[in-house]
Amino acid sequence: MNETLPISIARKGANVLKYLRPVFGAVILIFIIYRLIQTLLIQEIFGPETWTRLVIAGMIIGSVYALIAIGYTLVYGILFMINFAHGEVMMLGAYTCFFVFEALKNIKVGADHSLAFSNAYPVISIIIAFILGMSVSALTGFLLEKVAYRPLRQAPRLVPLISAIGASIFLQNAAQLLFSPQLRDVANPQILARGSGWKFLINGSSVTIPYTGVFTFLLSLILLVSLYLIVQKTKFGRAMRAVALDKKTASLMGIDVDKTISLTFLISGALAGAAGVMWGLHNSMVYYFTGFVPGIKAFTAAVLGGIGNLPGAMLGGLFLGIIESVGPAALGIDFQLKDVIAFLLLIVVLTFRPSGLLGEVLAKEKV
Amino acid sequence: MKKTYFQPIQIGFIFGAVNVFLVLIGFNAMVASLLAKALGEQVLTALPPFPYLAAFTILLGLWCGIAAARKSSRARIAGNVLAGWLSGLAAGSVTFVFCVGIGWLLSNKIDIRNYLTVLSFDFINGVLMGLPPLVGALANLGILAAAGAVGGLLYGFIQSSKVKQINQPILALTCSTTEKLKRLDHGRRRLAFQILGVAIAGAVVIFLPLNWGSYWNYVAGTVGLYVILGLGLNLIVGLSGQLVLGYIAFFAIGAYTMALLNSPLPYNLMWGFWPALVLGVIFAALAGLLLGLPLMRLRGDYLAIVTLGFGEIIRILLKSDVLTDFSGGPRGIQNISGPTLFGRPFNSDIDFMYLIAISVALAAFVYNRLQHSRPGRAWLSIREDETAARACGVNTTRYKLLALALGAAFAGLAGAIYASRNQFTGPEEHSLMASINVLSLIIVGGLGNIPGTILGAFALKGLPEILREFSNYRLLTFGALLVVMMLSRPEGLIPSKRPKYKTPQEADGRNAEEKNVS
């Protein structure tokens, strides 16, 4: 009856944690330094040419991650939901890339009808691929929001997540049934042929900077910068930030919340589509499961940078790409374990900075 | 005025697009052959006869017409028919364009099966019902429009007053029954339901496994294991509100403990089932604790992604070459020996079914007791508002860790039994998809309650087994159903009731009033 609540808040557990975290950090730090010294100074397994190669590969994959991560972050900033189907949106972009180049390869032009369109007019065909890929993905994102997320805006947080998971499974299997489960090779135009690139010598062995990689990296930088400018400088960007902060007040200020959210999905879909086309051009492996791993990685990158934070997502993507590529070699671990390093990095960063590297900007009030 | 025409046409276009999509994935052929089988016809080829393919189109048209008529909500039958016909026409015109397209492919003998797998010439011929391209396309259009109109008519008929009058008493009856049920004393009703539920479950569990074949016992066993998993995850997600996505990692720990201790390769330890079971549970709980310790500051989606990462780490480590010598690598661990009880070895799925049934009962009991105990209330308070819970003196860190460890222990139990039953465990059994399945099943069933978990496990693990006929379309349907389910019943099939606890003042209401007066 007279049960009094324990007012003194006993936090023995919290005290233990206080000591545990630095110890945990110190252990990891010592391990990393030990392995780094081992691999870099004592064993010297890899020369500088390998490191350059790894960093280049990491920067390329990182820029793709960054593009996808932006989509997660934009949607999360506004709706506080993990758009689990975002990877599949990117997968559809990659498929569009495959189909466009396949079609353009079969259109013959020139005097004797022997030159493929994609080789005769490579710039035009790449532009076509990007326009189509981005619009297919943008449309998918838009429809996804309209069908699967909009009716659930007032529901508890887990419900849209499950809906997104359902949509993700649906899109994957739809792609598998439509286009068959086989692995596709994108028919790149000759100027962006895979394997070709600027070669230079380091330590007597040649290092290639692939054209597709440079293209991917530069284009994603351009897209990221333009997106940042859109969000920061335009009227729509202002509306988006306002909706992210407070939907009700934003609607009172005359902002069409539904339209803003739809546009956000369009933009994030378009970026994912661009990432998909680049994936197709650079990695060429296009199949129904293409979007899954990059999707998860990109989400990891978004969280790493502080979800809801645009520069954070870009930085997180690049950071994750490079660490994942360089990490196994630097720590002297098997290359199969690069995903382990990516996720361990996430765990370690979140242990010490629970709201990501740059913290949350768009979404303070979540949870 | 415009809207009355516009809306059915819009619905029709959506249905037309859906029709084209279903044809492109070959769904129509699957439904048609199911229909043919149901009507007792032998289907020898992959493609059923044309009438059945047409029947699929008719069914879709009917649905389209009904949907359009329902949306337009006209009073008179004629209006419903018009709405249905318009939508059927719109759907038909989309299909018409599509059919002309594939007809053109057929007549020019262009094979694009490399890109769109189902579009073989036979299949196109089937969709066009053996007619020349343009005629076949027109036939599709006609069928959809006519079926749409019939659908509208049907809906109008059902809506018309006559049918409603027949419905009235039935409606009244059901209403009064539910009213009566509601008025029944809460405690008595619950007790009655509980006794009924336990009796049915007991009867099912005791008698049915003996009559089922080995296959159905296997399926039911899997469902039972997923019930245990679901209950464990419910402790974490449903009760304490921590979103954990890599839950299957704990299952993997249980499974691998069992496997390593009871398999000839790689260690040949052969400790026996029961010690391994206990150790599997303990190791899983410890893993939960260890994962939780550094991460308890994280909330919401941060925790989700970190646990997802943890699950993936475990899977990749198990799969990698680094641990091949210790854990069997990508090929997994085979020949795990089963349990023996009083000298009698468990060697059939029936024995395991009983073991699983007992484990499910145990897990449900533990879950139920936890839910209504002090930790259960603490978890609820954390779920509702962590800061407030903390301010009220709930040691949130400790209780969150407790939830994680206990939930992990449940998973460890399920994993150990799973490995022992299948005599095999490998890294791919513990992929992210499995975690997502468990999460989906507790949310589809209804977060935070036992009947919901059981129903969800049946729906998500049992139904796909029953729907083997769907084979290729299983996952597609599953994904679509998840979305539809969330849209129509976001709180799950069996929603949880919020428990009501009385504060001392409330329970002692009269006393408090008297005190106030005095």
Side-chain angles (χ1 to χ4, degrees):
Chain A
M1 270 292 157
N2 287 327
E3 210 181 357
T4 50
L5 292 168
I7 293 168
S8 63
I9 303 169
R11 289 235 185 77
K12 276 183 191 161
N15 277 333
V16 171
L17 285 188
K18 224 181 258 169
Y19 298 115
L20 202 88
R21 205 167 286 126
V23 171
F24 180 57
V27 167
I28 289 174
L29 213 66
I30 290 170
F31 173 75
I32 290 176
I33 292 172
Y34 167 74
R35 293 302 310 196
L36 277 179
I37 292 172
Q38 280 271 314
T39 47
L40 290 181
L41 302 179
I42 299 175
Q43 296 175 338
E44 286 188 31
I45 308 172
F46 304 114
E49 72 282 356
T50 315
W51 295 113
T52 324
R53 273 185 212 132
L54 289 175
V55 170
I56 290 169
M59 279 163 75
I60 295 164
I61 193 74
S63 61
V64 176
Y65 287 163
L67 270 185
I68 310 172
I70 288 284
Y72 279 109
T73 271
L74 280 178
V75 169
Y76 192 90
I78 284 197
L79 289 180
F80 305 136
M81 66 163 285
I82 305 173
N83 182 8
F84 216 87
H86 198 59
E88 273 57 54
V89 173
M90 173 243 170
M91 175 266 294
L92 288 178
Y95 260 115
T96 314
C97 169
F98 164 72
F99 281 120
V100 166
F101 281 113
E102 203 71 5
L104 293 181
K105 190 184 76 181
N106 288 330
I107 296 176
K108 302 291 183 197
V109 288
D112 52 350
H113 291 276
S114 62
L115 199 57
F117 185 89
S118 55
N119 287 333
Y121 306 102
V123 178
I124 295 176
S125 27
I126 290 169
I127 290 174
I128 291 176
F130 269 95
I131 289 175
L132 279 180
M134 286 169 83
S135 27
V136 164
S137 290
L139 197 69
T140 316
F142 174 76
L143 286 178
L144 204 64
E145 194 266 338
K146 205 158 189 180
V147 173
Y149 305 152
R150 182 167 294 181
L152 298 174
R153 217 169 276 165
Q154 309 301 329
R157 289 169 45 104
L158 272 180
V159 171
L161 176 71
I162 297 298
S163 180
I165 289 172
S168 162
I169 297 173
F170 178 85
L171 286 177
Q172 259 175 34
N173 286 281
Q176 184 196 0
L177 290 167
L178 279 176
F179 310 132
S180 93
Q182 103 196 56
L183 207 68
R184 310 290 195 157
D185 271 334
V186 177
N188 281 16
Q190 264 158 12
I191 57 161
L192 277 184
R194 262 183 300 284
S196 66
W198 291 290
K199 291 188 170 59
F200 56 92
L201 293 177
I202 298 179
N203 255 10
S205 60
S206 81
V207 173
T208 313
I209 302 182
Y211 294 139
T212 50
V214 174
F215 176 71
T216 303
F217 188 75
L218 289 181
L219 192 62
S220 44
L221 275 194
I222 293 169
L223 284 172
L224 293 177
V225 169
S226 49
L227 179 85
Y228 191 74
L229 290 180
I230 287 176
V231 171
Q232 293 297 332
K233 303 283 179 199
T234 62
K235 206 170 162 188
F236 164 67
R238 212 178 305 144
M240 215 158 94
R241 282 180 290 150
V243 171
L245 280 175
D246 188 337
K247 287 191 196 55
K248 212 170 263 174
T249 314
S251 72
L252 287 175
M253 299 293 139
I255 295 170
D256 189 340
V257 174
D258 280 347
K259 205 174 114 190
T260 311
I261 293 177
S262 284
L263 267 171
T264 308
F265 270 87
L266 271 177
I267 289 183
S268 68
L271 289 181
V277 176
M278 290 173 193
W279 180 276
L281 283 172
H282 182 66
N283 284 17
S284 155
M285 286 189 307
V286 178
Y287 70 124
Y288 68 97
F289 219 60
T290 297
F292 188 75
V293 174
I296 297 230
K297 288 284 179 57
F299 181 57
T300 310
V303 174
L304 208 58
I307 196 156
N309 181 335
L310 287 183
M314 304 174 191
L315 198 75
L318 278 176
F319 187 54
L320 188 75
I322 293 174
I323 290 285
E324 170 185 302
S325 166
V326 176
L331 298 180
I333 308 176
D334 201 307
F335 272 89
Q336 287 174 329
L337 298 183
K338 69 181 171 75
D339 292 0
V340 171
I341 286 186
F343 290 123
L344 268 182
L345 176 76
L346 176 82
I347 293 181
V348 171
V349 166
L350 286 187
T351 311
F352 295 97
R353 284 193 65 91
S355 49
L357 286 175
L358 296 193
E360 292 163 41
V361 172
L362 279 172
K364 284 237 170 58
E365 291 278 315
K366 37 163 239 98
V367 187
Chain B
M1 194 62 204
K2 258 184 190 168
K3 203 187 161 196
T4 51
Y5 296 114
F6 185 65
Q7 202 167 32
I9 291 176
Q10 203 181 4
I11 292 172
F13 279 134
I14 295 172
F15 268 87
V18 169
N19 186 25
V20 170
F21 171 71
L22 290 178
V23 169
L24 275 179
I25 62 173
F27 196 77
N28 60 341
M30 196 271 305
V31 171
S33 50
L34 271 186
L35 273 177
K37 268 182 206 160
L39 293 175
E41 189 155 335
Q42 289 284 323
V43 182
L44 298 174
T45 52
L47 201 69
F50 300 145
Y52 294 105
L53 284 172
F56 171 80
T57 320
I58 291 171
L59 283 178
L60 200 83
L62 278 179
W63 187 10
C64 172
I66 290 171
R70 225 173 95 179
K71 255 281 162 52
S72 68
S73 59
R74 307 285 184 85
R76 275 195 273 156
I77 291 183
N80 283 317
V81 174
L82 180 69
W85 180 70
L86 276 175
S87 67
L89 205 64
S93 52
V94 174
T95 316
F96 176 78
V97 174
F98 170 70
C99 285
V100 169
I102 57 173
W104 179 78
L105 289 178
L106 179 66
S107 50
N108 285 321
K109 295 284 170 213
I110 298 172
D111 192 357
I112 60 164
R113 253 182 308 170
N114 189 19
Y115 305 118
L116 292 168
T117 29
V118 295
L119 286 185
S120 63
F121 293 137
D122 283 345
F123 184 81
I124 295 174
N125 208 16
V127 173
L128 299 174
M129 288 172 289
L131 301 167
L134 219 57
V135 186
L138 270 177
N140 265 308
L141 172 67
I143 288 174
L144 275 171
V150 174
L153 183 72
L154 268 177
Y155 183 77
F157 184 66
I158 294 166
Q159 278 303 88
S160 70
S161 49
K162 265 184 197 167
V163 185
K164 257 191 187 160
Q165 271 166 11
I166 302 167
N167 270 341
Q168 218 77 63
I170 303 172
L171 267 176
L173 195 70
T174 46
C175 277
S176 67
T177 331
T178 47
E179 274 301 301
K180 268 181 202 161
L181 268 176
K182 266 184 194 161
R183 255 182 279 148
L184 249 171
D185 180 33
H186 181 74
R188 258 167 64 201
R189 186 163 59 110
R190 223 180 92 189
L191 193 69
F193 270 121
Q194 273 180 356
I195 292 174
L196 196 73
V198 169
I200 291 176
V204 165
V205 163
I206 292 171
F207 296 113
L208 276 183
L210 294 176
N211 301 329
W212 285 336
S214 162
Y215 175 68
W216 288 112
N217 267 310
Y218 179 81
V219 172
T222 310
V223 171
L225 289 173
Y226 268 82
V227 171
I228 301 177
L229 276 174
L231 287 174
L233 191 60
N234 247 331
L235 277 179
I236 305 173
V237 181
L239 290 187
S240 76
Q242 311 294 310
L243 180 53
V244 166
L245 273 181
Y247 185 61
I248 215 72
F250 305 122
F251 181 80
I253 289 171
Y256 266 86
T257 310
M258 173 61 73
L260 291 175
L261 291 181
N262 270 321
S263 165
L265 280 171
Y267 298 123
N268 199 14
L269 282 173
M270 295 302 185
W271 280 21
F273 175 81
W274 302 105
L277 184 73
V278 174
L279 274 181
V281 172
I282 291 173
F283 282 163
L286 276 181
L289 213 58
L290 279 181
L291 176 70
L293 269 177
L295 297 177
M296 273 303 128
R297 275 208 299 180
L298 302 179
R299 293 180 176 193
D301 299 316
Y302 288 92
L303 187 68
I305 187 70
V306 167
T307 48
L308 184 153
F310 174 69
E312 285 294 284
I313 288 175
I314 295 277
R315 184 181 66 86
I316 298 164
L317 277 181
L318 289 175
K319 198 176 167 182
S320 68
D321 290 342
V322 181
L323 289 182
T324 300
D325 297 337
F326 307 101
S327 65
R331 272 184 304 132
I333 300 175
Q334 286 106 3
N335 301 326
I336 302 164
S337 66
T340 50
L341 195 60
F342 306 121
R344 184 173 116 65
F346 283 32
N347 40 23
S348 72
D349 283 313
I350 297 174
D351 295 335
F352 270 106
M353 185 60 222
Y354 283 117
L355 178 67
I356 289 167
I358 292 167
S359 314
V360 169
L362 184 76
F365 177 75
V366 171
Y367 180 87
N368 193 25
R369 292 323 301 152
L370 277 172
Q371 192 177 10
H372 296 295
S373 66
R374 192 187 173 90
R377 290 195 300 275
W379 287 332
L380 275 190
S381 70
I382 292 171
R383 185 184 75 186
E384 295 303 320
D385 189 333
E386 198 173 327
T387 318
R390 211 168 175 148
C392 291
V394 176
N395 188 343
T396 51
T397 315
R398 204 168 76 192
Y399 280 113
K400 274 154 75 180
L401 276 179
L402 183 69
L404 204 56
L406 282 174
F410 276 53
L413 174 75
I417 298 177
Y418 186 78
S420 178
R421 184 190 65 158
N422 289 5
Q423 300 176 1
F424 166 78
T425 190
E428 287 312 314
E429 283 183 342
H430 312 294
S431 64
L432 181 61
M433 240 2 253
S435 297
I436 287 174
N437 262 333
V438 180
L439 185 67
S440 309
L441 86 85
I442 62 172
I443 290 168
V444 165
L447 206 56
N449 68 68
I450 299 173
T453 309
I454 296 173
L455 195 65
F458 267 106
L460 263 74
K461 288 314 284 186
L463 265 189
E465 296 298 328
I466 295 167
L467 296 179
R468 274 285 166 203
E469 202 69 41
F470 276 89
S471 56
N472 290 339
Y473 303 97
R474 224 154 40 112
L475 278 171
L476 184 90
T477 329
F478 171 66
L481 274 181
L482 269 187
V483 177
V484 170
M485 173 80 209
M486 286 300 108
L487 294 182
S488 54
R489 276 188 83 92
E491 70 279 8
L493 289 169
I494 304 177
S496 283
K497 270 196 282 304
R498 277 177 92 89
K500 282 179 185 150
Y501 296 109
K502 284 175 181 160
T503 56
Q505 279 92 343
E506 243 178 86
D508 224 11
R510 234 168 32 142
N511 245 341
E513 258 172 49
E514 274 169 14
K515 268 181 202 162
N516 272 347
V517 170
S518 66

